[in-house]
Amino acid sequence: MIAPDLETAIQHLRELIGTAAVVVPFTGAGISTECGIPDFRSPGGIWTKMRPIEFGDFLASQEMRDESWRRRFAMEGQFSGAKPGRGHRALVSLYRTGKIPGVITQNIDNLHQASGIASDHVVELHGNTTYATCLDCAKRYELSWVRERFTASGGRSPDCADCGGTIKTATVSFGQAMPEAAMRRAQALTDSCDLFLAIGSSLVVWPAAGLPLAAKRNGTRLVIINRDATEFDDIADLVVHDDIGGVLAPFIAH
Ligand SMILES: [Zn+2]
């Protein structure tokens, strides 16, 4: 059913969460927009104005790597200044009750971890932009390390200090393979729950599209909270087309 108003939505959501044993949230850009993180893929979003750098081009060209880092540092204020929103805070409240074994997210902003969910319990399908790794030896680099060298060299992206390999933000770029371990964990979490909450995702980018469907096939109840309609609204047990922060704020423990 599509909730006719916010009050009804919150009441139904409270009942569904109250009777569920295991709740798995799946989050997309919509949960972070109130935190000032832009939705890259939405109409008017960054990817409609600026062509993303494909993974193959990043690997092939120093110039593309330099441009990629230049863009990343230009956005640093937005990422480093962002605080968890009401949606993140509601989910960490439920997590602390023991009902949420893990959160699956399409977001790269680290805000679930910042809200207090253990890193081990956040499954990031598109990686994380708040740190970097060497693509060759997997060594982790903080962005401050990269930025120092980038600036000192006049805008040239540095190579790995250990192996000379390519350093990239820990995100999954267009054209880059999906992380298999994260995919498996997302599927396992989906299979483990009896309530699946799809929050702030348009549910079009694969594998986001597959998880709610898998949940329904298992007989799991499905809730979709998103400002706009999704193609899974018809099969959901509850659909809420409203502001995510407003819907989830009553679930924040004080
Ligand atoms: Zn390396």
Side-chain angles (χ1 to χ4, degrees), residues 73-158:
F73 293 134
M75 296 194 60
E76 180 55 9
Q78 273 165 305
F79 281 112
S80 65
K83 300 271 187 299
R86 290 172 293 173
H88 300 99
R89 288 162 56 210
L91 293 183
V92 78
S93 298
L94 289 172
Y95 169 75
R96 287 183 177 136
T97 69
K99 273 199 182 186
I100 292 181
V103 174
I104 307 164
T105 188
Q106 295 175 289
N107 298 338
I108 57 174
D109 54 30
N110 205 53
L111 289 176
H112 286 300
Q113 293 92 327
S115 77
I117 295 183
S119 298
D120 287 354
H121 295 156
V122 182
V123 177
E124 296 172 314
L125 297 178
H126 297 159
N128 188 311
T129 195
T130 65
Y131 63 94
T133 53
C134 170
L135 291 171
D136 297 274
C137 75
K139 182 182 165 78
R140 175 180 167 134
Y141 287 93
E142 300 312 316
L143 293 196
S144 55
W145 186 95
V146 180
R147 188 169 203 165
E148 211 172 278
R149 280 147 189 85
F150 182 83
T151 307
S153 65
R156 193 177 164 87
S157 69

Coordinates of all heavy atoms in Angstrom, one line a residue, residues 73-158:
F73 N 39.0 16.5 -4.7 CA 39.4 17.5 -3.7 C 38.5 18.7 -3.7 O 38.3 19.3 -2.7 CB 40.9 17.9 -3.8 CG 41.9 16.7 -3.5 CD1 42.9 16.4 -4.3 CD2 41.7 16.0 -2.4 CE1 43.8 15.4 -4.0 CE2 42.5 14.9 -2.1 CZ 43.6 14.6 -2.9
A74 N 38.0 19.0 -4.9 CA 37.0 20.1 -5.0 C 35.8 19.8 -4.2 O 35.1 20.8 -3.8 CB 36.7 20.3 -6.5
M75 N 35.4 18.6 -4.0 CA 34.2 18.2 -3.2 C 34.5 17.9 -1.8 O 33.6 17.5 -1.0 CB 33.6 17.0 -3.8 CG 33.1 17.2 -5.3 SD 32.0 15.9 -5.7 CE 30.8 16.0 -4.5
E76 N 35.8 18.1 -1.4 CA 36.1 17.6 0.0 C 35.3 18.3 1.1 O 35.0 17.7 2.1 CB 37.7 17.8 0.2 CG 38.2 17.4 1.6 CD 37.8 16.0 2.0 OE1 37.3 15.2 1.1 OE2 38.0 15.6 3.1
G77 N 35.0 19.6 0.9 CA 34.3 20.4 1.9 C 32.9 19.7 2.1 O 32.5 19.6 3.3
Q78 N 32.3 19.3 1.0 CA 30.9 18.7 1.2 C 31.0 17.3 1.9 O 30.2 17.0 2.8 CB 30.3 18.4 -0.2 CG 29.6 19.6 -0.7 CD 29.3 19.5 -2.2 OE1 30.2 19.3 -3.0 NE2 28.0 19.6 -2.6
F79 N 32.0 16.5 1.6 CA 32.1 15.2 2.3 C 32.6 15.3 3.7 O 32.1 14.7 4.6 CB 33.0 14.3 1.4 CG 32.3 13.7 0.3 CD1 32.7 14.0 -1.0 CD2 31.3 12.8 0.4 CE1 32.1 13.5 -2.1 CE2 30.6 12.2 -0.7 CZ 31.0 12.6 -2.0
S80 N 33.7 16.1 3.9 CA 34.3 16.1 5.3 C 33.4 16.9 6.2 O 33.4 16.7 7.4 CB 35.7 16.7 5.2 OG 35.7 18.0 4.9
G81 N 32.6 17.8 5.7 CA 31.7 18.6 6.6 C 30.4 18.0 6.9 O 29.6 18.4 7.7
A82 N 30.0 16.8 6.2 CA 28.7 16.2 6.4 C 28.6 15.5 7.7 O 29.5 14.8 8.1 CB 28.4 15.3 5.2
K83 N 27.4 15.6 8.3 CA 27.1 14.9 9.5 C 25.9 14.0 9.2 O 25.1 14.3 8.4 CB 26.7 15.9 10.6 CG 27.7 16.9 11.0 CD 28.6 16.4 12.1 CE 29.6 17.5 12.6 NZ 30.5 18.0 11.6
P84 N 25.8 12.8 10.0 CA 24.7 11.9 9.8 C 23.4 12.7 9.9 O 23.2 13.6 10.7 CB 24.9 10.9 10.9 CG 26.3 10.9 11.2 CD 26.8 12.4 11.0
G85 N 22.4 12.3 9.0 CA 21.1 13.0 9.1 C 20.1 12.2 10.0 O 20.5 11.2 10.6
R86 N 18.9 12.6 9.9 CA 17.8 11.9 10.7 C 17.7 10.5 10.4 O 17.4 9.6 11.2 CB 16.5 12.7 10.6 CG 16.6 14.1 11.3 CD 15.3 14.9 11.0 NE 15.3 15.2 9.6 CZ 14.2 15.8 9.0 NH1 13.2 16.1 9.7 NH2 14.3 16.1 7.7
G87 N 17.8 10.2 9.1 CA 17.6 8.8 8.6 C 18.7 7.9 9.2 O 18.5 6.8 9.7
H88 N 20.0 8.4 9.1 CA 21.1 7.7 9.7 C 20.9 7.5 11.2 O 21.2 6.4 11.7 CB 22.4 8.4 9.4 CG 22.8 8.7 8.0 ND1 22.5 9.9 7.4 CD2 23.3 7.9 7.1 CE1 22.9 9.8 6.1 NE2 23.4 8.6 5.9
R89 N 20.5 8.5 11.8 CA 20.3 8.4 13.3 C 19.2 7.5 13.7 O 19.3 6.8 14.7 CB 20.1 9.8 13.9 CG 21.4 10.7 13.8 CD 21.1 12.2 14.0 NE 20.4 12.5 15.2 CZ 19.6 13.5 15.3 NH1 19.4 14.3 14.3 NH2 19.0 13.7 16.5
A90 N 18.2 7.4 12.9 CA 17.1 6.5 13.2 C 17.6 5.0 13.0 O 17.3 4.2 13.9 CB 15.9 6.7 12.3
L91 N 18.4 4.8 12.0 CA 18.8 3.5 11.7 C 19.8 3.0 12.8 O 19.8 1.9 13.2 CB 19.5 3.4 10.3 CG 18.5 3.5 9.2 CD1 19.2 3.3 7.8 CD2 17.3 2.6 9.3
V92 N 20.7 3.9 13.3 CA 21.6 3.5 14.3 C 20.9 3.2 15.6 O 21.3 2.4 16.4 CB 22.8 4.5 14.5 CG1 22.4 5.7 15.3 CG2 24.0 3.8 15.2
S93 N 19.8 3.9 15.8 CA 18.9 3.6 17.0 C 18.4 2.2 17.0 O 18.4 1.5 18.0 CB 17.8 4.6 17.1 OG 18.3 6.0 17.3
L94 N 17.9 1.8 15.8 CA 17.4 0.5 15.6 C 18.5 -0.6 15.7 O 18.3 -1.7 16.3 CB 16.6 0.3 14.3 CG 15.3 1.0 14.2 CD1 14.8 1.0 12.7 CD2 14.3 0.4 15.1
Y95 N 19.6 -0.2 15.2 CA 20.8 -1.1 15.2 C 21.2 -1.4 16.7 O 21.5 -2.5 17.0 CB 21.9 -0.4 14.5 CG 23.3 -0.9 14.6 CD1 23.7 -2.1 13.9 CD2 24.3 -0.2 15.3 CE1 25.0 -2.5 14.0 CE2 25.6 -0.7 15.4 CZ 25.9 -1.9 14.7 OH 27.2 -2.3 14.8
R96 N 21.1 -0.4 17.5 CA 21.5 -0.6 18.9 C 20.5 -1.4 19.7 O 20.8 -2.0 20.7 CB 21.7 0.8 19.6 CG 22.9 1.5 19.1 CD 23.2 2.8 19.8 NE 24.5 3.3 19.3 CZ 24.7 4.6 18.9 NH1 23.7 5.5 19.0 NH2 25.9 4.9 18.5
T97 N 19.3 -1.6 19.1 CA 18.3 -2.5 19.8 C 18.6 -4.0 19.4 O 18.0 -4.9 20.0 CB 16.8 -2.2 19.4 OG1 16.7 -2.6 18.0 CG2 16.5 -0.8 19.6
G98 N 19.5 -4.1 18.5 CA 19.9 -5.5 18.1 C 19.1 -6.1 16.9 O 19.4 -7.2 16.5
K99 N 18.2 -5.3 16.4 CA 17.4 -5.8 15.3 C 18.0 -5.7 13.9 O 17.6 -6.4 13.0 CB 16.0 -5.0 15.2 CG 15.0 -5.6 16.1 CD 13.6 -5.2 15.7 CE 12.6 -5.8 16.7 NZ 11.2 -5.6 16.4
I100 N 19.0 -4.9 13.8 CA 19.7 -4.7 12.5 C 21.1 -5.3 12.5 O 22.0 -4.8 13.2 CB 19.8 -3.1 12.1 CG1 18.4 -2.6 11.9 CG2 20.7 -2.9 10.9 CD1 18.4 -1.1 11.6
P101 N 21.2 -6.4 11.7 CA 22.6 -7.0 11.7 C 23.6 -6.3 10.8 O 24.8 -6.5 10.9 CB 22.3 -8.4 11.2 CG 21.1 -8.3 10.3 CD 20.2 -7.2 11.0
G102 N 23.0 -5.5 9.9 CA 23.9 -4.8 9.0 C 23.1 -3.9 8.1 O 21.9 -4.1 7.9
V103 N 23.8 -2.9 7.5 CA 23.1 -1.9 6.6 C 23.8 -2.1 5.2 O 25.1 -2.1 5.1 CB 23.3 -0.5 7.1 CG1 22.8 0.5 6.0 CG2 22.6 -0.3 8.4
I104 N 23.0 -2.2 4.2 CA 23.6 -2.2 2.8 C 23.4 -0.8 2.2 O 22.3 -0.2 2.4 CB 22.8 -3.2 1.9 CG1 22.7 -4.6 2.6 CG2 23.4 -3.3 0.5 CD1 21.6 -5.5 2.0
T105 N 24.4 -0.3 1.6 CA 24.3 1.1 1.1 C 24.9 1.2 -0.3 O 25.9 0.6 -0.6 CB 24.9 2.1 2.1 OG1 24.5 3.4 1.6 CG2 26.4 2.0 2.2
Q106 N 24.3 2.1 -1.1 CA 24.9 2.5 -2.3 C 25.7 3.8 -2.1 O 26.4 4.2 -3.0 CB 23.8 2.9 -3.3 CG 22.9 1.7 -3.7 CD 21.8 2.2 -4.6 OE1 20.9 2.9 -4.1 NE2 21.8 1.9 -5.9
N107 N 25.7 4.3 -0.9 CA 26.4 5.6 -0.7 C 27.8 5.4 -0.4 O 28.3 4.4 0.2 CB 25.7 6.3 0.5 CG 24.2 6.6 0.1 OD1 23.9 6.7 -1.0 ND2 23.4 6.8 1.1
I108 N 28.6 6.4 -0.7 CA 30.1 6.3 -0.6 C 30.6 7.3 0.5 O 31.7 7.6 0.6 CB 30.8 6.7 -1.9 CG1 30.3 8.1 -2.4 CG2 30.4 5.6 -3.0 CD1 31.0 8.5 -3.7
D109 N 29.6 7.9 1.3 CA 29.9 9.0 2.1 C 30.3 8.7 3.5 O 30.6 9.7 4.3 CB 28.7 10.0 2.1 CG 27.4 9.3 2.5 OD1 27.4 8.3 3.3 OD2 26.3 9.7 2.1
N110 N 30.3 7.4 3.9 CA 30.8 7.0 5.3 C 29.8 7.5 6.4 O 30.2 7.4 7.6 CB 32.2 7.6 5.5 CG 33.0 6.8 6.5 OD1 33.1 5.5 6.4 ND2 33.5 7.4 7.6
L111 N 28.6 8.0 6.1 CA 27.8 8.5 7.1 C 27.1 7.5 8.0 O 26.8 7.8 9.2 CB 26.7 9.5 6.5 CG 27.3 10.8 6.0 CD1 26.2 11.6 5.3 CD2 28.0 11.6 7.1
H112 N 26.9 6.2 7.5 CA 26.4 5.2 8.4 C 27.5 4.9 9.5 O 27.1 4.8 10.7 CB 26.1 3.9 7.7 CG 24.8 4.0 6.9 ND1 23.6 4.3 7.5 CD2 24.6 3.9 5.5 CE1 22.7 4.4 6.5 NE2 23.3 4.1 5.3
Q113 N 28.7 4.8 9.1 CA 29.8 4.6 10.1 C 29.9 5.8 11.0 O 30.0 5.6 12.3 CB 31.1 4.4 9.4 CG 31.2 3.1 8.6 CD 30.8 3.3 7.1 OE1 30.0 4.1 6.8 NE2 31.5 2.6 6.2
A114 N 29.8 7.0 10.5 CA 29.9 8.2 11.3 C 28.7 8.2 12.3 O 28.9 8.8 13.4 CB 29.9 9.4 10.4
S115 N 27.6 7.6 12.0 CA 26.4 7.7 12.9 C 26.6 6.7 14.1 O 25.9 6.8 15.1 CB 25.1 7.3 12.2 OG 25.1 5.9 11.9
G116 N 27.6 5.7 13.9 CA 27.8 4.8 15.0 C 27.7 3.3 14.7 O 27.8 2.5 15.5
I117 N 27.4 3.0 13.4 CA 27.3 1.6 13.0 C 28.7 1.1 12.7 O 29.5 1.8 12.1 CB 26.4 1.5 11.7 CG1 24.9 1.8 12.1 CG2 26.4 0.1 11.2 CD1 23.9 1.7 11.1
A118 N 29.0 0.0 13.3 CA 30.4 -0.6 13.1 C 30.7 -0.7 11.6 O 29.8 -1.2 10.9 CB 30.5 -1.9 13.8
S119 N 31.9 -0.4 11.2 CA 32.3 -0.6 9.8 C 32.1 -1.9 9.3 O 31.6 -2.1 8.1 CB 33.8 -0.3 9.7 OG 34.1 1.0 10.1
D120 N 32.2 -3.0 10.1 CA 32.0 -4.3 9.7 C 30.5 -4.6 9.4 O 30.2 -5.6 8.7 CB 32.4 -5.3 10.9 CG 33.9 -5.4 11.1 OD1 34.6 -4.9 10.2 OD2 34.3 -6.1 12.0
H121 N 29.7 -3.7 9.9 CA 28.2 -3.9 9.7 C 27.7 -3.0 8.6 O 26.5 -2.9 8.5 CB 27.5 -3.7 11.0 CG 27.8 -4.8 12.0 ND1 27.7 -4.5 13.4 CD2 28.3 -6.0 11.9 CE1 28.1 -5.6 14.0 NE2 28.5 -6.5 13.2
V122 N 28.5 -2.4 7.8 CA 28.1 -1.5 6.7 C 28.6 -2.2 5.4 O 29.8 -2.3 5.2 CB 28.6 -0.1 6.8 CG1 28.1 0.7 5.6 CG2 28.2 0.5 8.1
V123 N 27.7 -2.6 4.6 CA 28.1 -3.2 3.3 C 28.0 -2.1 2.2 O 26.9 -1.7 1.9 CB 27.2 -4.4 3.0 CG1 27.6 -5.0 1.6 CG2 27.3 -5.5 4.0
E124 N 29.1 -1.7 1.7 CA 29.2 -0.6 0.7 C 29.3 -1.2 -0.7 O 30.3 -1.7 -1.1 CB 30.4 0.3 1.0 CG 30.3 0.9 2.4 CD 31.5 1.7 2.8 OE1 32.6 1.1 2.6 OE2 31.4 2.8 3.2
L125 N 28.2 -1.1 -1.5 CA 28.2 -1.6 -2.8 C 29.0 -0.8 -3.8 O 29.5 -1.3 -4.8 CB 26.7 -1.8 -3.3 CG 25.8 -2.7 -2.5 CD1 24.4 -2.7 -3.1 CD2 26.4 -4.2 -2.5
H126 N 29.1 0.5 -3.5 CA 29.9 1.4 -4.4 C 31.1 1.9 -3.7 O 31.7 2.9 -4.2 CB 29.0 2.5 -4.9 CG 27.8 2.1 -5.7 ND1 26.7 2.8 -5.9 CD2 27.6 0.9 -6.4 CE1 25.8 2.1 -6.6 NE2 26.3 1.0 -6.9
G127 N 31.5 1.3 -2.6 CA 32.8 1.7 -2.0 C 32.6 2.9 -1.1 O 31.5 3.2 -0.7
N128 N 33.8 3.6 -0.9 CA 33.8 4.7 0.1 C 34.8 5.7 -0.4 O 35.9 5.4 -0.8 CB 34.3 4.1 1.4 CG 34.2 5.1 2.6 OD1 34.6 6.2 2.5 ND2 33.6 4.6 3.7
T129 N 34.3 7.0 -0.4 CA 35.2 8.0 -1.0 C 36.0 8.8 0.0 O 36.7 9.7 -0.3 CB 34.3 9.0 -1.8 OG1 35.1 9.9 -2.6 CG2 33.5 9.9 -0.8
T130 N 35.9 8.4 1.3 CA 36.6 9.1 2.4 C 38.0 8.6 2.6 O 38.7 9.1 3.5 CB 35.7 9.1 3.7 OG1 35.7 7.8 4.2 CG2 34.3 9.7 3.5
Y131 N 38.4 7.6 1.9 CA 39.8 7.2 1.9 C 40.2 6.6 0.6 O 39.3 6.5 -0.3 CB 40.1 6.2 3.1 CG 39.4 4.9 3.0 CD1 40.0 3.8 2.4 CD2 38.1 4.7 3.4 CE1 39.3 2.6 2.3 CE2 37.4 3.5 3.3 CZ 38.0 2.5 2.8 OH 37.3 1.3 2.6
A132 N 41.4 6.3 0.4 CA 41.9 5.7 -0.9 C 42.6 4.4 -0.7 O 43.0 4.1 0.5 CB 42.8 6.7 -1.5
T133 N 42.8 3.7 -1.8 CA 43.6 2.4 -1.7 C 44.4 2.3 -2.9 O 44.1 2.9 -4.0 CB 42.7 1.2 -1.6 OG1 41.8 1.2 -2.7 CG2 41.9 1.1 -0.3
C134 N 45.5 1.6 -2.8 CA 46.3 1.2 -4.0 C 45.6 0.1 -4.7 O 45.3 -0.9 -4.1 CB 47.7 0.8 -3.5 SG 48.7 0.1 -4.9
L135 N 45.4 0.3 -6.0 CA 44.7 -0.7 -6.8 C 45.5 -2.0 -6.9 O 45.0 -3.1 -7.3 CB 44.3 -0.2 -8.2 CG 43.3 0.9 -8.2 CD1 43.2 1.5 -9.6 CD2 41.9 0.4 -7.7
D136 N 46.9 -1.9 -6.7 CA 47.7 -3.0 -6.9 C 48.0 -3.8 -5.7 O 47.9 -5.0 -5.7 CB 49.0 -2.6 -7.6 CG 48.8 -1.9 -8.9 OD1 48.8 -2.7 -9.9 OD2 48.6 -0.7 -9.0
C137 N 48.3 -3.1 -4.5 CA 48.6 -3.9 -3.3 C 47.6 -3.7 -2.2 O 47.7 -4.2 -1.1 CB 50.0 -3.5 -2.8 SG 50.1 -1.9 -2.0
A138 N 46.6 -2.9 -2.5 CA 45.5 -2.7 -1.5 C 45.8 -1.9 -0.3 O 45.0 -1.8 0.6 CB 44.8 -4.0 -1.1
K139 N 47.0 -1.3 -0.3 CA 47.4 -0.5 0.9 C 46.4 0.7 1.0 O 46.1 1.3 0.0 CB 48.8 0.1 0.7 CG 49.3 0.9 1.9 CD 50.8 1.4 1.5 CE 51.2 2.5 2.5 NZ 51.7 2.0 3.8
R140 N 46.0 1.0 2.2 CA 45.1 2.1 2.5 C 45.8 3.4 2.6 O 46.9 3.5 3.2 CB 44.3 1.8 3.7 CG 43.4 3.0 4.1 CD 42.5 2.7 5.3 NE 41.9 3.9 5.8 CZ 40.6 4.0 6.2 NH1 39.9 2.9 6.2 NH2 40.2 5.1 6.7
Y141 N 45.3 4.5 2.0 CA 45.9 5.8 2.1 C 44.8 6.8 2.6 O 43.6 6.7 2.1 CB 46.4 6.3 0.8 CG 47.7 5.6 0.4 CD1 47.7 4.5 -0.4 CD2 48.9 6.1 0.9 CE1 48.9 3.9 -0.7 CE2 50.1 5.5 0.5 CZ 50.1 4.4 -0.3 OH 51.3 3.8 -0.6
E142 N 45.1 7.7 3.5 CA 44.2 8.7 3.9 C 44.2 9.8 2.8 O 45.3 10.0 2.2 CB 44.5 9.3 5.3 CG 44.5 8.3 6.4 CD 43.2 7.4 6.4 OE1 42.1 7.9 6.2 OE2 43.4 6.2 6.6
L143 N 43.1 10.5 2.6 CA 43.1 11.6 1.6 C 44.1 12.7 1.8 O 44.6 13.3 0.9 CB 41.7 12.1 1.4 CG 40.6 11.2 0.9 CD1 39.4 12.0 0.5 CD2 41.1 10.3 -0.2
S144 N 44.4 12.9 3.1 CA 45.3 14.0 3.4 C 46.7 13.7 2.9 O 47.4 14.5 2.4 CB 45.4 14.2 5.0 OG 45.7 13.0 5.6
W145 N 47.1 12.4 2.9 CA 48.4 11.9 2.4 C 48.4 12.2 0.9 O 49.4 12.7 0.3 CB 48.5 10.4 2.7 CG 49.9 9.9 2.3 CD1 51.0 9.7 3.1 CD2 50.3 9.4 1.0 NE1 52.0 9.2 2.4 CE2 51.6 8.9 1.1 CE3 49.6 9.3 -0.2 CZ2 52.3 8.4 0.0 CZ3 50.3 8.7 -1.3 CH2 51.7 8.3 -1.2
V146 N 47.3 11.8 0.2 CA 47.2 12.0 -1.3 C 47.3 13.5 -1.6 O 48.0 13.9 -2.5 CB 46.0 11.4 -1.8 CG1 45.9 11.6 -3.3 CG2 45.9 9.9 -1.5
R147 N 46.5 14.3 -0.8 CA 46.4 15.7 -1.1 C 47.7 16.4 -1.0 O 48.1 17.3 -1.8 CB 45.3 16.3 -0.2 CG 45.0 17.7 -0.7 CD 43.8 18.3 0.0 NE 43.2 19.4 -0.7 CZ 42.0 19.9 -0.5 NH1 41.2 19.4 0.4 NH2 41.6 20.9 -1.3
E148 N 48.4 16.1 0.0 CA 49.7 16.7 0.3 C 50.7 16.5 -0.9 O 51.3 17.5 -1.4 CB 50.4 16.0 1.5 CG 51.3 16.8 2.4 CD 51.7 16.1 3.6 OE1 50.9 16.0 4.6 OE2 52.8 15.5 3.6
R149 N 50.7 15.3 -1.4 CA 51.6 15.0 -2.6 C 51.0 15.6 -3.9 O 51.8 16.1 -4.7 CB 51.8 13.5 -2.7 CG 52.8 13.1 -1.7 CD 52.6 11.7 -1.2 NE 53.6 11.4 -0.1 CZ 53.3 11.8 1.2 NH1 52.2 12.4 1.5 NH2 54.2 11.6 2.1
F150 N 49.7 15.6 -4.0 CA 49.0 16.2 -5.2 C 49.3 17.7 -5.3 O 49.7 18.2 -6.3 CB 47.5 15.9 -5.0 CG 46.7 16.4 -6.2 CD1 46.5 15.6 -7.3 CD2 46.0 17.6 -6.1 CE1 45.7 16.0 -8.4 CE2 45.2 18.0 -7.2 CZ 45.1 17.3 -8.3
T151 N 49.2 18.3 -4.2 CA 49.5 19.8 -4.1 C 50.9 20.1 -4.4 O 51.3 21.0 -5.2 CB 49.0 20.4 -2.8 OG1 47.7 19.9 -2.5 CG2 49.1 21.9 -2.7
A152 N 51.8 19.3 -3.7 CA 53.3 19.6 -3.8 C 53.8 19.4 -5.2 O 54.7 20.0 -5.6 CB 54.0 18.7 -2.8
S153 N 53.1 18.5 -6.0 CA 53.6 18.2 -7.3 C 52.9 19.0 -8.4 O 53.0 18.8 -9.6 CB 53.4 16.7 -7.6 OG 52.0 16.4 -7.6
G154 N 52.1 20.0 -7.9 CA 51.4 20.8 -8.9 C 50.2 20.1 -9.5 O 49.9 20.4 -10.7
G155 N 49.6 19.2 -8.8 CA 48.3 18.6 -9.3 C 48.5 17.2 -10.0 O 47.8 16.9 -10.9
R156 N 49.6 16.5 -9.6 CA 49.8 15.2 -10.2 C 49.5 14.2 -9.1 O 49.9 14.2 -8.0 CB 51.3 15.1 -10.6 CG 51.6 13.9 -11.4 CD 53.1 13.9 -11.8 NE 53.5 12.6 -12.3 CZ 53.4 12.2 -13.6 NH1 52.9 13.0 -14.5 NH2 53.8 11.0 -14.0
S157 N 48.7 13.2 -9.5 CA 48.2 12.2 -8.5 C 49.4 11.3 -8.2 O 50.1 10.8 -9.1 CB 47.1 11.3 -9.1 OG 47.5 10.5 -10.1
P158 N 49.6 11.0 -6.9 CA 50.8 10.2 -6.5 C 50.6 8.7 -6.7 O 49.4 8.3 -6.8 CB 50.9 10.5 -5.0 CG 49.5 10.8 -4.6 CD 48.8 11.4 -5.8

